[in-house]
Amino acid sequence: MTAPVISINAAPFGALPDGTPVTAFTLTNVNGLQVKIIDFGAIISEVHVPDRDGVLADVVLGFDTIEPYLTNKAFLGALIGRFGNRIAEGRFTLDGKSYQLAVNNGVNHLHGGEQGFHQVMWQAEPFEKADAVGVTFRRSSPDGEDGYPGKLDVTVVYELDNDNALSLRYHAVTDQATPVNLTNHSYFNLAGQGDIGSHELMINADRYTPVDAGSIPTGELADVAGTPFDLRRATPVGAGITSSHAQIGIGRGYDHNFVLNKEADGTLSLAAIVREPVSGRVMEVFTREPGVQFYSGNFLDGSVAGKGRAHDYRSALCLETQHFPDSPNHAHFPDSVLRPGQVYQTTTVYRFLAA
């Protein structure tokens, strides 16, 4: 059997309704770990990870063809922007001027709106290094897109190395002050199938941001101690997901931002560890962001399927690294406004291993 070699391959992935071709880029490292990314939405559509016996499984939800991604209401695997998570009623005031964004989640703005970064084509440039392969995605978001001020030039680099680390490096500049909060919305199931109740999760956070009935932060930074949100030690996801805690009821499970413990703002540090005990697969998440949204797949209902399996209730979880939801409307939250002359730079790393 031939040993895997580090490589990147491009292949057609269908076309958009206007005929624009979509390309899938498959990254492979020397350990056989594979990541497939498409240039529509800069979507991560597959991640094949070995278990403790070296057996590969695809550990993210996604689709085999482009068509379901065109109506991807769950944002599967997508690059999210301009602003990840919710903004209350799609409104904020910046430098004395009020802005109204697209509203696409009840009365609120979610994940950039209907025309967010998940629903557009990105210019893709594959690259190969001695110990890593990847794709650089670029796009210019025009002034006024989904209601956001300013032209935003964005570059995001997806890179897979031989240490089984998938790095996402984000860079943006603007010609007007604008909120920016970029993230990735991959849904993970380290078993490759079934529900995620037995996945063991640690989140490096002493506090979280409680939400109101519309899933908008109240502004409080609440202590996790004594609540189902205390995930500072590895805990089965199912242990707290059916709790009677009021916040679990609001989210129908976990759908909350955790305030990450940081020695210094902007440092790349451990945010979370997920372990699936049967396969032994482990995912470590490192980020420069101040928060991470843990979402336990509460609104998946099995009505959509992809890659041979239904996207069932709680069949995957998300760990979306981010600035806090609704930050433009909370002065005490970490500042999410990018101004001309500044550079938005952040990194998130997903590292896979087996134990």
Side-chain angles (χ1 to χ4, degrees):
M1 186 175 187
T2 303
V5 294
I6 195 164
S7 64
I8 180 166
N9 293 294
F13 198 77
L16 302 186
D18 66 0
T20 302
V22 178
T23 300
F25 300 89
T26 300
L27 319 179
T28 305
N29 73 5
V30 296
N31 304 310
L33 193 150
Q34 284 193 340
V35 177
K36 181 181 284 187
I37 312 158
I38 65 174
D39 53 4
F40 176 78
I43 289 168
I44 296 172
S45 65
E46 298 179 19
V47 179
H48 297 264
V49 178
D51 67 7
R52 64 166 65 92
D53 297 318
V55 178
L56 291 170
D58 187 358
V59 300
V60 297
L61 301 188
F63 303 109
D64 291 310
T65 61
I66 187 58
E67 286 77 16
Y69 284 118
L70 304 180
T71 55
N72 180 13
K73 299 300 184 183
F75 306 94
L76 299 185
L79 172 59
I80 301 296
R82 288 189 191 186
F83 196 94
N85 220 302
R86 294 172 176 86
I87 295 178
E89 298 181 349
R91 298 175 183 168
F92 65 91
T93 299
L94 178 57
D95 297 337
K97 184 177 180 180
S98 295
Y99 293 90
Q100 178 64 61
L101 306 176
V103 172
N104 64 322
N105 181 242
V107 299
N108 300 317
H109 177 83
L110 176 66
H111 293 331
E114 295 290 351
Q115 182 61 34
F117 289 1
H118 64 292
Q119 285 289 296
V120 296
M121 288 294 296
W122 289 75
Q123 178 186 346
E125 299 176 15
F127 64 86
E128 186 169 350
K129 302 178 181 177
D131 60 353
V133 288
V135 183
T136 300
F137 292 100
R138 292 186 173 89
R139 179 174 185 266
S140 182
S141 173
D143 179 25
E145 185 171 60
D146 278 304
Y148 286 96
K151 180 171 75 77
L152 188 75
D153 293 323
V154 182
T155 301
V156 185
V157 178
Y158 292 56
E159 181 175 293
L160 175 67
D161 67 23
N162 287 333
D163 290 326
N164 289 359
L166 175 63
S167 301
L168 279 65
R169 300 193 296 273
Y170 304 85
H171 176 283
V173 294
T174 184
D175 62 0
Q176 293 183 50
T178 187
V180 181
N181 185 26
L182 307 182
T183 191
N184 178 268
H185 207 300
S186 287
Y187 288 71
F188 295 97
N189 181 321
L190 297 184
Q193 60 184 349
D195 68 48
I196 43 87
S198 63
H199 280 52
E200 298 165 355
L201 174 64
M202 185 284 294
I203 299 180
N204 181 25
D206 295 335
R207 296 175 296 168
Y208 76 105
T209 53
V211 295
D212 65 17
S215 294
I216 298 296
T218 63
E220 180 185 4
L221 304 179
D223 196 327
V224 300
T227 77
F229 298 91
D230 191 350
L231 300 173
R232 291 173 293 185
R233 294 184 180 179
T235 304
V237 170
I241 208 168
T242 57
S243 166
S244 61
H245 192 283
Q247 285 291 309
I248 294 290
I250 288 173
R252 293 173 52 179
Y254 292 101
D255 191 8
H256 294 78
N257 172 66
F258 286 74
V259 180
L260 294 174
N261 299 328
K262 292 278 186 179
E263 291 186 5
D265 292 345
T267 56
L268 185 66
S269 59
L270 181 66
I273 302 174
V274 189
R275 179 176 181 270
E276 200 286 305
V278 176
S279 68
R281 293 188 187 92
V282 176
M283 181 176 75
E284 300 173 334
V285 183
F286 300 84
T287 189
R288 298 187 185 278
E289 289 297 289
V292 62
Q293 185 88 2
F294 168 35
Y295 171 53
S296 51
N298 314 314
F299 295 95
L300 300 174
D301 61 6
S303 62
V304 176
K307 298 186 297 186
R309 74 188 207 227
H311 299 158
D312 289 324
Y313 180 59
R314 293 179 179 164
S315 61
L317 61 85
C318 301
L319 291 165
E320 304 154 62
T321 58
Q322 61 183 6
H323 272 53
F324 302 170
D326 201 32
S327 287
N329 294 312
H330 296 273
H332 63 293
F333 282 4
D335 186 11
S336 61
V337 174
L338 180 68
R339 297 182 178 276
Q342 297 178 335
V343 177
Y344 175 95
Q345 289 189 111
T346 190
T347 300
T348 293
V349 178
Y350 302 95
R351 181 170 178 262
F352 299 93
L353 54 151

